[in-house]
Amino acid sequence: MTELTPQSEKVLARLRILREMDAPTSGGRVLSYLYDTGMAELDELAAQAIRIMQPVNGLDPTTFPSVAAMERDVIAFTRRMLNGDAGQESGADNEVVGTVTSGGTESCLLAVKTARDVWRAAGGEGTPRLVAPATVHAAFHKAAQYFGLELDLVPVDAAGRVDPAALIDRFGEDVALVVVSAPAYPHATLDPVETIATAAAHAGIACHVDACIGGWVLPWWGGALPAWDFRVLGVTSMSADLHKFGYAPKGVSVLLHRGRDRQRHQYFATKRWPGYPVVNPTMLGSKSAGALAAAWAIMLRLGNDGFADLAASCRRSTDALASAIHAIEGLRVVGEPTGPLLAVATDESVPADRRVDPHNWADGVRQLGWLLQQQPGLLQSDGTRLPHTTHLTITPVTESVRERLIAALQQAADGVRGIEAANGNRLLVALPPLADDAGPLTSVQAAALLAQLGLGADGITLPEKMAPLVAVIEALPAPLAERLLIELLGRLVEPAGFSATETSQH
Ligand SMILES: *Cc1c(COP(=O)(O)O)cnc(C)c1O
């Protein structure tokens, strides 16, 4: 290894200081975003794999065949795991083929783009529609917006379940894609894949199973799950994120399609410019092969048995946490979660003074050193309201801290039992009246509103209690809330707010 100069050491020292601002990325303290095996050796394997691939450009697998070689291995493993190996021998072109993408969002975006282009190639005209349960991941909202589809969301019941008949009722000639989830992120609901995909096939509609979060853990979950993968013939595409329960560092997911000809609509190619002929299976041009290499290394190292052991650990912890939360007076687990994630809501069956608000609870848990994720409630198109919940993603590392975590969950509940949920509308009264018809906010107006909410332009440090803020987001009309969120993130990276890192001193 090359020795670093003192100047370089100084830069790295500064990076380490920056990292101290982050939520703890190991130790199981953060129950979302991170997927931690708790195996330090596996993290080192991933780091060294990234290091080996560091100079490579994943843009061109003919110049860098190692990229294609790893990708073939990853796709082969994923296809077997998702029961997509059949169909190779049948004369029809039904072979399941795929690509590695930069993450779940890119997999979902490309699934939608592909379905739209297949629909158009088959003669579809006008605005295509994307039908999905209301719990479908936000990445599909983004895809509909980016690629010009109308998003047709079907309300779910209080347990997060969609009525398949109601969803199938929405089918029509203009539907380019139906999306179901295995499971959906908000409440871990496993959608009725077989019923919906089979009906879609009869109607000639493509069906994507979003297994971004479940793809790399449900195959080893145990119990008799209803078929949710390529065993269902109506399933035309699936996404499964390696940077979730594939335990890879961020930036890697798999998108599979049934049928080469369908999948070729995913690609972009052009020779109509004076530069090199371009052909891209995914959205990026030049790209890192680092996360792919890390995912590949972890996959080879773990193999089927390794993934099975880690899934079993997730299962034990999920069951233990679900029972522990069930036993906390005033809280309940929503629906029947399938997979290592839980949504927790208020138990309305106990008297008001015994209830626990899940967002107050999450704030209490945060003060004890654990980060849960607060999910706002949702008013659905049929007027029913899904209550706000608190989300936990359980990973293998959870098992090593489980009893301490459960104690914190209980202690925090005791601390906030009987305390009412933050009332977003009441908090909004403190703001200057927001005219509905004032037109789009300017950045200056949006920043002023954020400041009123206690999030100044340099408001990088979040308030101690997040529940009131989430309640305000929930109470605001969606376009306004979304505009404020955009302003918050936009301001976060403006150079004026960058003083902490002393760049100007050089
Ligand atoms: C995580 C996730 C996605 C995509 O998210 P990325 O953050 O881009 O990886 C899509 N669908 C589901 C169900 C997910 O859990």
Side-chain angles (χ1 to χ4, degrees), residues 73-88:
D73 287 346
V74 167
I75 290 164
F77 193 101
T78 314
R79 186 172 75 171
R80 196 175 328 120
M81 173 180 82
L82 298 177
N83 291 300
D85 273 354
Q88 293 170 75

Side-chain angles (χ1 to χ4, degrees), residues 3 26 63 130 137 139 167 191 199 225 238 258 308 319 343 375 495:
E3 284 276 324
S26 61
T63 306
L130 191 170
H137 195 275
L167 188 143
D191 285 332
L225 297 183
M238 293 191 72
R258 194 194 297 276
D319 290 349
Q375 306 188 127

Side-chain angles (χ1 to χ4, degrees), residues 79-80 84-97 260:
R79 186 172 75 171
R80 196 175 328 120
D85 273 354
Q88 293 170 75
E89 301 89 19
S90 74
D93 175 31
N94 276 332
E95 184 154 351
V96 171
V97 292
R260 287 192 188 87

Side-chain angles (χ1 to χ4, degrees), residues 103-105 108 137 139 183 185 210 212-213 241 243-244:
T105 296
C108 298
H137 195 275
Y185 186 86
D210 178 9
C212 277
I213 199 154
D241 292 352
H243 66 201
K244 288 180 182 156

Side-chain angles (χ1 to χ4, degrees), residues 255-301:
L255 175 59
L256 299 178
H257 291 273
R258 194 194 297 276
R260 287 192 188 87
D261 288 327
R262 169 188 307 282
Q263 192 244 11
R264 300 311 189 232
H265 287 274
Q266 181 186 308
Y267 284 67
F268 172 81
T270 188
K271 60 160 207 167
R272 296 174 226 191
W273 75 308
Y276 55 92
V278 168
V279 51
N280 298 150
T282 59
M283 296 175 76
L284 301 180
S286 287
K287 61 184 179 185
S288 165
L292 165 63
W296 176 86
I298 289 169
M299 185 191 83
L300 289 193
R301 164 76 166 70

